Amino acid sequence: MSVPESAFAAPVRYEAESATISQGVVESNHAGFSGSGFVNFDNVAGSSVEFTVNAAKAGQAKLTFRYANGTADNRPVDVNVNGGLAVDERAFAGTGAWTTWTSVDNTVNLNAGANKIKLTSTGATGGPNLDYLDVEEINAVPALEQEAENATIGQGVVESNHAGFSGTGFVNYDNVVGSYVEYTITADQAGEHDLTFRYANGTTVDRPVSVTVDGAAAQTVSFPGTGAWTTWQTRTAKVVLKAGANKIRATATTANGGPNADKLSAVRLGPVDNEPPTPPKNLQFVSSTATTVSLKWEAATDNIGVTGYEIYQHGQHVASVGNVLQATATGLQPDTDYDWTVLAKDAANNVSQASNNVIGRTQPAPPDNEAPSVPGNLRSTGKTATSVDLAWNASTDNVGVTGYDIYVNGAVRQSADGNATSATVAGLTTGTEYAFRVLAKDAKNNQSGLSNEIKVTPAAGGPSGTPDPGAVSTIASGVDVAWGLVFLPDGSALFSERNTFNIYRLTKSGQKTLAGKISQAVGTNGEGGLLGLEVSPSFNTDHWLYVYHTASEGNRVIRIKYENGALVQNTYQILLQGMAKNRYHNGGRLRYGPVDGKLYISVGDAQNPDNNPQNKNSLNGKILRINLDGSIPSDNPFGNAVWSFGHRNPQGLDFDSKGRLWESEFGDSTQDEVNLITKGGNYGYPACEGTTGSCSGYIAPKKVWSTSQASPSGLTIINDHVFVATTVGQRVYRMKIDGDTLVDQKVYFQSTYNRLRTVEVDHDGDIWLTTSTDKDGTANNDRILLIDIQYSGGNPPTGFKLSSTAFADDAMIPNKYTCAGDGTAGQDPSPPLAWGASTGAAGYAIVFADRANNGNKLHWAIWDIPATASSLPENLGSGFNVPNQGGAKQKAMGSGANSLKYFGPCPGGSTNPYTFTLYALNTNVVPGITSSSTMAQIETAIKNASTANTVLRGRSNAST
């Protein structure tokens, strides 16, 4: 029996010039638009464009707006659907030029039939230049098919001169060998499918094609004559599809080319096969050379049949074989221990749990007694208060340089890769002179002579607020694979041990006490066990600790209370299940979203790349997002816990100052990644790994490294600098966030502290770093290190930090300071605010904003606060010039008197997140602001004059 599958409706385009326009004009003076023109909103609040959109059924739809904005200012609009506000102040940021067009999207609910979608500008600059609206209904089309004219065509042309086709036309293959049509079929579930090709062939000669799925499993399908070019028939082929996108190519095999191709339809055959094979048994090491290892094992079993085996080395996929019981892995390093496991798979790409593991060591490299040449011209290219940047000329070797050792005051301090010609030595003391030398080595550990010696004295300098690693000390030793690490309000930490399932409390002075064990946790003899931790934002009152751990059925997210120094075992609550486990690729990081108040979760693909990462119904190979009680947020993109997909083994998570989520991810055999995560985003795995493979149409990473240089696990962000701890790379990377890119990479501590797992910033602005010597099989030989972070310009978070005596960070803002105080929006008393000085600041500013729905609705700003000030009193007076505040000025949303006094929260009964952002300024008077400036213009001017910022969060559900 054939079972049809669901798919997404193709987007329907609505040109802006055909919509209803109020206070705007259709123009065509900037190139690059589609249709006959675009709409230029009038530069007034309230100008609008209204589309009439037809939906096949009631439900969710993705709206994609294409626009251009040649200014530097955001031009936000409210998006109303059928008269109700669906998106509050949808941002349309500058695109650099009026001829540069880009797209943004939002998911909304539509009614069946006609819908009115209205974009209304909210600022005096109006909206952007609007090109079109694409509407994509979710789960609106029950068929799984693609018209040939919408496929990828190689040596063919779309025509419509023979009647009887479906869609808008058909593809006429060129009459050559190799012409093709490549369809994209997205299967909801993996398994065997019937592919039905609709075609016409007006000749009497067969026109066979070769059909492949993702470039493999070729079979020839015959397309005999149909009697006329207007007579359409079908031919069927059976194939196995994976869950997610499948590239199905039909390639002509004769000089006659292929038939006229109308469309391709797919249906899954028979019941779903969700049963994986049993694990292979008795994996054994057979033999090795200097670069290969041979293995054998006993067969796995399956309810339908095993089709092949996957060979892994410590979580890295090395080789795939068919239904055979031996394999040889190639391309290995000489004289090295490798940790092997094998997994079985079936026709539906269900993957077994891992076999037993076995260590297989390669043979030593051939004799080599020739040392590399001496590195030349060692020099210093920069320094900070605690670090020195070094560079040198590359060494040469008869076989190859494999690394460099860096000597500080006569002793090896750290290393660098064989292809590196620079390094940063951190953890130094300001004002102390250090002597540096470098030598090169090869695979046989032949060492060159030492380079020239240079002497450098670390000295303060650099951009204000830049976090530089200083002295390193050990907080705790004798720990066992410390994985999760989270800080309590009192400044102490809780950390988890992956393999013992214990959670400990650890103070900064090194006092370690057992908090308790998660007895429901199980290990996987690999990367599973007791993993990520996070604390409730209301921990002071609710005492919830959030935990990610492997359990009997898979991976779970739970919460449990921590009270009086111990876990309260009878409060254990399962919040989320259904994440498959395996020996490797379990993910496991948790992070609280400071803007939306949700819990974000990184989950690996459970070593099942074909079925999980691209399947939006699977929780594996994903970033997940849930409410703190485990329920699914109503604005998640796919109606389940999935926030983004197409990941392999995501690990580190953290948010930047703009509330954006960054993620680090283990690659397979080519590239590791750092990604900027967006709602509903597809990051491409398994088709795309880093920037390699078939990456078109996927979201590209912001940073990639070779898998030999990273395996990034933990990630934390300090002053918009991303720190990443690596296991294989045995180093810490630091990069600066510049817009949506990562720049100015530094490499610290390479090979100094072994494998590194977790990196977190504490309440004092220092880093806690955990080692992860899990590959040596020895328990209790890990450490938790403390890195004293030094801030250039003297801006550590402990000093430059905004607070209020009226409410704690991320607590509810008292009604007194909201519209609920007097029952009227605007003209509210401001809360008392205080902060520590930022060294060198010429003044300060504060911007108060509503951050609901990932937005930034500006309520109030005060600037030109004198550099000598460190607080603002409660209930500031009204007026553009703030009374009794030394020349400070203010502006708020609203009009009239409301625009000249603090405008408090008024979200109307639903709880919204708010932020007070304190900016240190490089000028005592912010230029370019007048009493008629908009809130967006004021914020932009403040940011342009800012040298550092810090945030005080709050929440409110006030209403009038």
Side-chain angles (χ1 to χ4, degrees):
M1 177 179 178
S2 296
V3 182
E5 299 190 54
S6 62
F8 286 79
V12 177
R13 179 158 299 174
Y14 298 86
E15 295 289 345
E17 63 269 25
S18 301
T20 301
I21 304 165
S22 175
Q23 294 180 286
V25 63
V26 175
E27 295 181 347
S28 57
N29 57 322
H30 299 305
F33 57 84
S34 73
S36 60
F38 56 85
V39 172
N40 181 352
F41 284 69
D42 286 353
N43 292 348
V44 294
S47 50
S48 67
V49 177
E50 185 177 79
F51 299 87
T52 300
V53 169
N54 289 305
K57 69 174 185 66
Q60 287 190 321
K62 184 173 80 170
L63 308 182
T64 301
F65 306 100
R66 188 172 190 258
Y67 78 100
N69 177 2
T71 75
D73 296 328
N74 177 28
R75 293 194 168 192
V77 306
D78 283 343
V79 181
N80 283 269
V81 177
N82 297 323
L85 182 63
V87 185
D88 186 22
E89 292 203 321
R90 163 74 259 187
F92 287 88
T95 60
W98 292 111
T99 54
T100 300
W101 300 86
T102 192
S103 296
V104 295
D105 61 69
N106 288 94
T107 300
V108 301
N109 289 316
L110 299 182
N111 299 326
N115 295 263
K116 298 291 187 182
I117 299 176
K118 187 173 184 179
L119 282 68
T120 305
S121 63
T122 61
T125 55
N129 284 357
L130 188 64
D131 187 19
Y132 61 68
L133 165 65
D134 274 352
V135 180
E136 183 179 15
E137 293 182 63
I138 298 174
N139 295 325
V141 178
L144 184 64
E145 62 185 30
Q146 186 178 27
E147 295 286 343
E149 64 269 21
N150 297 325
T152 300
I153 303 165
Q155 294 180 286
V157 63
V158 175
E159 295 181 349
S160 57
N161 57 322
H162 298 305
F165 56 83
S166 66
T168 59
F170 57 85
V171 172
N172 182 353
Y173 281 72
D174 287 354
N175 293 345
V176 294
V177 174
S179 53
Y180 68 84
V181 178
E182 183 176 86
Y183 306 86
T184 300
I185 297 295
T186 302
D188 288 342
Q189 299 181 45
E192 193 172 41
H193 288 65
D194 266 345
L195 301 182
T196 300
F197 298 87
R198 190 170 190 262
Y199 79 103
N201 179 0
T203 75
T204 59
V205 178
D206 186 18
R207 295 192 169 193
V209 303
S210 173
V211 175
T212 59
V213 178
D214 293 329
Q219 58 178 293
T220 300
V221 178
S222 175
F223 288 90
T226 60
W229 293 111
T230 55
T231 300
W232 300 87
Q233 296 181 1
T234 60
R235 300 290 286 177
T236 300
K238 285 184 172 57
V239 298
V240 174
L241 301 183
K242 67 177 184 293
N246 298 262
K247 299 292 186 182
I248 298 170
R249 179 175 291 195
T251 305
T253 60
T254 72
N256 293 318
N260 283 357
D262 186 25
K263 68 178 181 180
L264 171 63
S265 302
V267 291
R268 182 167 36 79
L269 300 174
V272 178
D273 176 16
N274 289 323
E275 183 175 332
T278 62
K281 296 180 180 178
N282 195 24
L283 177 65
Q284 298 177 56
F285 167 70
V286 176
S287 62
S288 67
T289 69
T291 59
T292 69
V293 166
S294 295
L295 306 165
K296 68 177 182 179
W297 57 90
E298 295 177 8
T301 60
D302 185 67
N303 60 318
I304 295 176
V306 173
T307 59
Y309 295 89
E310 305 291 342
I311 293 87
Y312 280 85
Q313 193 288 121
H314 202 76
Q316 182 183 70
H317 183 255
V318 174
S320 299
V321 296
N323 196 8
V324 297
L325 301 179
Q326 59 186 6
T328 297
T330 60
L332 307 178
Q333 293 297 315
D335 204 23
T336 302
D337 279 334
Y338 288 95
D339 183 5
W340 302 99
T341 50
V342 175
L343 290 76
K345 63 181 181 180
D346 61 20
N349 284 324
N350 295 309
V351 175
S352 75
Q353 294 294 299
S355 70
N356 61 295
N357 67 297
V358 63
I359 303 299
R361 186 177 183 86
T362 51
Q363 297 295 315
D368 173 18
N369 296 318
E370 184 175 331
S373 64
V374 175
N377 190 25
L378 178 64
R379 57 203 181 273
S380 173
T381 56
K383 59 185 178 180
T384 71
T386 60
S387 66
V388 170
D389 295 330
L390 302 174
W392 58 86
N393 295 345
S395 298
T396 59
D397 185 68
N398 62 315
V399 177
V401 175
T402 59
Y404 294 90
D405 283 340
I406 298 165
Y407 284 73
V408 180
N409 292 341
V412 176
R413 179 76 171 240
Q414 65 189 59
S415 66
D417 296 322
N419 57 359
T421 55
S422 64
T424 297
V425 179
L428 306 177
T429 301
T430 306
T432 299
E433 185 180 72
Y434 293 87
F436 299 93
R437 302 184 81 174
V438 177
L439 65 76
K441 55 188 179 182
D442 62 20
K444 296 296 286 187
N445 203 31
N446 296 308
Q447 297 182 352
S448 73
L450 287 165
S451 71
N452 59 297
E453 180 180 88
I454 62 170
K455 294 183 178 181
V456 186
T457 301
S464 179
T466 299
D468 292 312
V472 180
S473 58
T474 298
I475 305 178
S477 58
V479 298
D480 186 54
V481 192
W483 212 99
L485 179 68
V486 67
F487 297 99
L488 300 174
D490 66 2
S492 65
L494 295 176
F495 74 88
S496 63
E497 289 188 332
R498 186 185 69 192
N499 299 339
T500 68
F501 318 139
N502 288 326
I503 294 177
Y504 292 89
R505 177 177 178 266
L506 181 64
T507 68
K508 202 164 186 175
S509 62
Q511 293 179 312
K512 185 179 75 170
T513 54
L514 179 64
K517 182 186 289 285
I518 302 296
S519 60
Q520 298 87 348
V522 301
T524 64
N525 192 29
E527 292 174 345
L530 183 58
L531 303 175
L533 303 178
E534 183 59 288
V535 293
S536 164
S538 306
F539 183 84
N540 276 329
T541 56
D542 64 31
H543 304 149
W544 284 119
L545 172 68
Y546 291 81
V547 182
Y548 185 112
H549 73 82
T550 310
S552 56
E553 83 290 347
N555 290 301
R556 296 178 185 172
V557 176
I558 66 102
R559 66 180 179 181
I560 188 171
K561 291 198 173 186
Y562 173 78
E563 296 177 337
N564 301 317
L567 302 180
V568 183
Q569 296 294 343
N570 63 5
T571 64
Y572 178 101
Q573 294 181 13
I574 298 175
L575 302 182
L576 187 66
Q577 291 175 283
M579 293 91 79
K581 67 179 180 180
N582 215 315
R583 187 184 183 204
Y584 296 107
H585 303 188
N586 294 290
R589 200 71 62 176
L590 302 177
R591 188 70 78 177
Y592 172 73
V595 173
D596 60 10
K598 310 302 182 186
L599 185 66
Y600 290 80
I601 308 155
S602 66
V603 186
D605 69 0
Q607 297 183 259
N608 193 342
D610 290 330
N611 278 357
N612 288 338
Q614 291 296 321
N615 180 0
K616 292 188 283 289
N617 294 317
S618 164
L619 299 183
N620 288 88
K622 307 292 189 298
I623 305 299
L624 307 180
R625 176 179 182 257
I626 62 174
N627 293 317
L628 295 181
D629 62 0
S631 60
I632 304 301
S634 60
D635 59 341
N636 275 13
F638 308 115
N640 57 7
V642 174
W643 186 249
S644 65
F645 64 107
H647 300 287
R648 180 180 179 269
N649 192 18
Q651 294 277 297
L653 299 173
D654 204 3
F655 290 85
D656 64 17
S657 65
K658 295 181 180 179
R660 302 178 300 177
L661 179 61
W662 295 78
E663 169 254 20
S664 58
E665 182 169 335
F666 287 145
D668 188 2
S669 58
T670 306
Q671 289 183 336
D672 297 318
E673 309 175 5
V674 173
N675 291 299
L676 179 56
I677 302 300
T678 59
K679 176 180 179 179
N682 185 350
Y683 291 81
Y685 192 74
C688 178
E689 180 187 342
T691 57
T692 65
S694 300
C695 296
S696 176
Y698 300 121
I699 298 174
K702 300 302 181 183
K703 184 67 179 179
V704 296
W705 302 283
S706 164
T707 53
S708 65
Q709 296 176 335
S711 291
S713 182
L715 180 151
T716 196
I717 297 176
I718 308 175
N719 284 7
D720 281 348
H721 287 75
V722 178
F723 287 80
V724 178
T726 67
T727 55
V728 172
Q730 299 184 27
R731 67 197 77 175
V732 173
Y733 289 105
R734 190 200 75 189
M735 298 151 288
K736 179 183 176 182
I737 298 173
D738 183 9
D740 63 355
T741 63
L742 296 175
V743 299
D744 300 339
Q745 175 177 287
K746 297 284 188 180
V747 182
Y748 303 117
F749 312 122
Q750 183 173 338
S751 299
T752 304
Y753 302 112
N754 209 298
R755 291 162 56 88
L756 303 173
R757 176 69 60 182
T758 296
V759 57
E760 295 287 355
V761 59
D762 67 12
H763 298 334
D764 297 328
D766 295 322
I767 279 179
W768 295 32
L769 178 66
T770 75
T771 70
S772 192
T773 54
D774 49 341
K775 290 184 70 174
D776 62 7
T778 302
N780 303 319
N781 63 342
D782 283 311
R783 292 184 286 170
I784 298 178
L785 305 171
L786 174 66
I787 303 176
D788 180 29
I789 298 296
Q790 300 293 312
Y791 292 81
S792 300
N795 289 325
T798 46
F800 183 53
K801 186 173 183 179
L802 185 64
S803 64
S804 175
T805 57
F807 61 96
D809 183 49
D810 205 34
M812 294 295 288
I813 300 172
N815 281 344
K816 176 181 180 180
Y817 309 109
T818 73
C819 67
D822 59 5
T824 302
Q827 290 285 298
D828 302 309
S830 58
L833 298 167
W835 58 90
S838 176
T839 302
Y844 297 98
I846 296 173
V847 177
F848 178 53
D850 180 353
R851 294 294 179 85
N853 300 318
N854 296 315
N856 186 18
K857 192 170 187 177
L858 303 175
H859 274 238
W860 172 74
I862 180 171
W863 64 99
D864 293 354
I865 303 170
T868 55
S870 60
S871 65
L872 291 174
E874 180 181 85
N875 195 16
L876 292 169
S878 63
F880 182 68
N881 293 292
V882 187
N884 305 313
Q885 295 304 314
K889 302 174 184 64
Q890 66 179 341
K891 189 73 181 288
M893 63 187 296
S895 59
N898 275 348
S899 68
L900 299 175
K901 185 172 171 59
Y902 173 75
F903 199 118
C906 196
S910 62
T911 301
N912 281 15
Y914 290 82
T915 56
F916 293 86
T917 304
L918 172 69
Y919 294 91
L921 306 176
N922 60 15
T923 177
N924 61 343
V925 176
V926 179
I929 302 179
T930 69
S931 59
S932 61
S933 298
T934 66
M935 292 299 297
Q937 290 169 335
I938 292 168
E939 182 190 42
T940 298
I942 290 171
K943 287 182 176 179
N944 288 340
S946 172
T947 59
N949 67 81
T950 183
V951 174
L952 171 65
R953 301 169 297 170
R955 291 173 285 131
S956 177
N957 56 13
S959 60
T960 56

